[in-house]
Amino acid sequence: MWCLSALVFLLIVQVASANWSSPFVKIGSDGRFQFNGSHFPLLGTNVYWLPALNSVQDIDYTLGNISQTGFNVVRTWAFNDVTSIPENGTWFQLINNGTVTVNEGPNGLQKLDKVIELAEKHKLFLILSLTNNWNPLPADSIVDRPINFTTRDVDAANATTVRRNYLSNQYGGMDVYVRELGQIHEHDQFYINETLINAFENYTTQVVKRYVNSPNLLSWEIANDPRCASSISASNTCVTTTITRWHSRIAKLIKTIDPNHLVSSGASGFFCADCPKLFPRAPRPSPSPSPQSPAGTRRSLPKPLTKKSLLKEKKEILKKMRATELATRTNTGSAIRIRGRWLATPTKRQGDTGVGPAFNGAAGVDSEDIMNIPQVGFGSSQLFPDQNTYGLVRPSGPPSFNESLAIGLDWVNRQIDSFRRNSKPIVLTGFGLVTQENSQSYVPFNAVQPVTSSSQQIAARQQQQFGPTNEQRNDAYQQWLSAALSGGLSGAIQYQWSQSGVSVQLGTPVSTPDNQTPVGNAQSGTGTTPNDGYSIQGTGNAQFQQIIGQDSQTFGVILA
Ligand SMILES: *[C@@H]1O[C@H](CO)[C@@H](O)[C@H](O)[C@H]1NC(C)=O
Ligand SMILES: *[C@@H]1O[C@H](CO)[C@@H](O)[C@H](O)[C@H]1NC(C)=O
Ligand SMILES: *[C@@H]1O[C@H](CO)[C@@H](O)[C@H](O)[C@H]1NC(C)=O
Ligand SMILES: *[C@@H]1O[C@H](CO)[C@@H](O)[C@H](O)[C@H]1NC(C)=O
Ligand SMILES: *[C@@H]1O[C@H](CO)[C@@H](O)[C@H](O)[C@H]1NC(C)=O
Ligand SMILES: *[C@@H]1O[C@H](CO)[C@@H](O)[C@H](O)[C@H]1NC(C)=O
Ligand SMILES: *[C@@H]1O[C@H](CO)[C@@H](O)[C@H](O)[C@H]1NC(C)=O
Ligand SMILES: *[C@@H]1O[C@H](CO)[C@@H](O)[C@H](O)[C@H]1NC(C)=O
Ligand SMILES: *[C@@H]1O[C@H](CO)[C@@H](O)[C@H](O)[C@H]1NC(C)=O
């Protein structure tokens, strides 16, 4: 009798859980990621170069080390566009003078197959990006160029060529479509011209089809940091709805091919107060409890951002600042500041009302409208205080460490408000700070070489004690991570992972053995993966790994 009822009970449990759990990550009704019946936040690292490593062994080591640290998700590039076939190294798609060819060979999509297979072995989820906003060529570059860079390196490491597969922005992306398929040299052609859209849809279809049944694929990310402009500028007709509409089209396409996986944007998290919305938020029945607040307590929902409320907030901040000497450090321009230099002033879109580029739609991004596309599963945001302006009021020089830390916490809190206002989870898909130790290597996303490469810049930087220490960075990461994960964001993904002991080969991200200048033609030995200013190497690495290990336990990151 006991046996029988136990059996019946077991059967019921099994049927119930079979109905309930799916082999894929989904979003629970509480707005958290759910897999195999368990809820979990994402704690991850960015590893854009992963499929471009020389060997399967290298990919295996890298994922093994990441998993061991306590991460549960890896974000990487599922695109790698070239304009001529390279002799060495991974490439996925050839786009050349109107024609497109996808590489399904061992140095093509089969490399991505390996990444997915090995991520599963190491119990890691993947977020796969399908294209990039950033792909500067030296000719587009707005950064001083002391060396005459000619073309992107195809087959040789050359001091005067940009090495392919090194920086995150050297993997092709939207501007390759614009340059090779378009007739109009404007970045936003990618979002509006049928031929270009069609080419991207073709690539997307082919890649997405391949992995419909992969259980450890967490989401298809439509694009990294999509914006109206890149190092190729935008037309003056590009606005937030242009980019939202394009997302909607691609998200629908992906869901048609692959109903199993989540789709996300990869957008920066910029807000657009008072902008027209294509996907107005559905009203929420009741406020959701914050995981932080004691059971039963409910905070009221944050109100939608308006110019009026933001301007009022700004006024109050300025008033407070005026009370201190910091008042002299404010600045009200509208350019994107990169380390104190003013670059790529965005066209005034939706009118610059003084709320700044993170709130006025200047980049053409309205993350809340994008997140509310029905086929988009969760919202995305990034945090790079060295490259973007996030505050309503900006420091006039490069932000001090204290400023960067505070800017980051404020941005995280605004994203938490956005999560609570809208009905979807939000993930910080990339965040980072450039440290003193890394400043010599720092290359902004829209540039082709380190910003410290000119002697004046190096001198200026040494005077200025550029960047925080590794300990300060770790402190900021710790504070941002815990604010994000305890405050209600569904994940935070650090930028970027560094792996040593991987094999050297031309055309791969590791084409120089450690302790050699990145010139010659070395083809053997081992080296360390690229550092674009955000790699965690050297001192501070052990402490960083410890922080991740602790957070992994605190926030219940690792699934049994
Ligand atoms: C799902 O959970 C069950 C038990 O809770 C476990 O036996 C199984 O291995 C899990 N599956 C995956 C894919 O993690
Ligand atoms: C970590 O990477 C090193 C190579 O640097 C490798 O020897 C080691 O086996 C890796 N660890 C794991 C757990 O994969
Ligand atoms: C890499 O390319 C070089 C030419 O640049 C060639 O000599 C070499 O054989 C290639 N190596 C591999 C492993 O394909
Ligand atoms: C590009 O293709 C067009 C027509 O297909 C051809 O006329 C032109 O010569 C090609 N240009 C180059 C640089 O190959
Ligand atoms: C770069 O090119 C310019 C013009 O062609 C030349 O005058 C200059 O010497 C070159 N600089 C270097 C570092 O090669
Ligand atoms: C390196 O670049 C220079 C300048 O473009 C070029 O003349 C030379 O052929 C290149 N060397 C190799 C090995 O590709
Ligand atoms: C879109 O791009 C194609 C290919 O460059 C071009 O022939 C076509 O005229 C463009 N369409 C529009 C509306 O600009
Ligand atoms: C997309 O694929 C279709 C079907 O294979 C093909 O006819 C079309 O030319 C492709 N479009 C581009 C821009 O490559
Ligand atoms: C930064 O903040 C710390 C801790 O609040 C404070 O002790 C320090 O004086 C601040 N530094 C600057 C430059 O404001």
Side-chain angles (χ1 to χ4, degrees), residues 33-45:
F33 291 109
Q34 196 182 82
F35 182 72
N36 197 20
S38 302
H39 290 104
F40 64 99
L42 308 184
L43 180 60
T45 184

Side-chain angles (χ1 to χ4, degrees), residues 65-112:
N65 279 256
I66 290 170
S67 176
Q68 207 169 40
T69 302
F71 289 114
N72 66 351
V73 66
V74 163
R75 179 171 174 263
T76 193
W77 290 173
F79 59 91
N80 189 320
D81 309 314
V82 294
T83 54
S84 64
I85 297 180
E87 276 186 65
N88 298 88
T90 303
W91 63 277
F92 293 163
Q93 183 173 231
L94 171 69
I95 308 181
N96 178 250
N97 191 23
T99 66
V100 181
T101 315
V102 174
N103 176 12
E104 296 195 272
N107 65 342
L109 292 178
Q110 288 177 36
K111 267 297 193 47
L112 198 55

Side-chain angles (χ1 to χ4, degrees), residues 422-480:
N422 301 286
S423 330
K424 297 202 183 160
I426 295 181
V427 174
L428 199 56
T429 57
F431 67 86
L433 274 181
V434 180
T435 59
Q436 284 162 28
E437 189 174 291
N438 270 342
S439 63
Q440 304 296 312
S441 310
Y442 170 50
V443 187
F445 299 132
N446 62 356
V448 293
Q449 66 159 316
V451 294
T452 44
S453 50
S454 85
S455 52
Q456 299 99 306
Q457 283 167 16
I458 294 171
R461 197 157 286 206
Q462 279 162 351
Q463 264 186 357
Q464 185 177 294
Q465 284 291 306
F466 170 84
T469 64
N470 292 331
E471 290 69 27
Q472 285 174 320
R473 172 202 59 206
N474 289 348
D475 183 27
Y477 285 10
Q478 166 73 312
Q479 291 196 44
W480 292 347

Side-chain angles (χ1 to χ4, degrees), residues 195-234:
T195 305
L196 275 59
I197 295 174
N198 188 238
F200 180 63
E201 285 181 338
N202 281 1
Y203 181 70
T204 298
T205 302
Q206 195 160 342
V207 173
V208 169
K209 260 193 189 149
R210 211 172 165 98
Y211 305 113
V212 169
N213 294 315
S214 301
N216 66 313
L217 171 57
L218 186 120
S219 88
W220 290 113
E221 184 178 276
I222 297 175
N224 173 55
D225 205 4
R227 301 184 186 197
C228 275
S230 178
S231 45
I232 296 182
S233 59

Side-chain angles (χ1 to χ4, degrees), residues 57-68 121-122 497 499-502 527:
Q57 174 76 88
D58 291 339
I59 296 172
D60 194 14
Y61 280 161
T62 303
L63 290 169
N65 279 256
I66 290 170
S67 176
Q68 207 169 40
K121 168 181 157 188
H122 293 291
W497 182 258
Q499 177 70 27
S500 56
V502 287

Side-chain angles (χ1 to χ4, degrees), residues 40-41 43 67 69-72 123-124 552-553 555-560:
F40 64 99
L43 180 60
S67 176
T69 302
F71 289 114
N72 66 351
K123 299 195 188 316
L124 291 165
S552 171
Q553 298 202 340
F555 296 106
V557 162
I558 302 298
L559 293 170

Side-chain angles (χ1 to χ4, degrees), residues 512-535:
T512 311
D514 286 337
N515 306 322
Q516 281 189 24
T517 33
V519 186
N521 289 302
Q523 291 185 46
S524 63
T526 60
T528 305
T529 54
N531 183 5
D532 56 12
Y534 296 95
S535 284

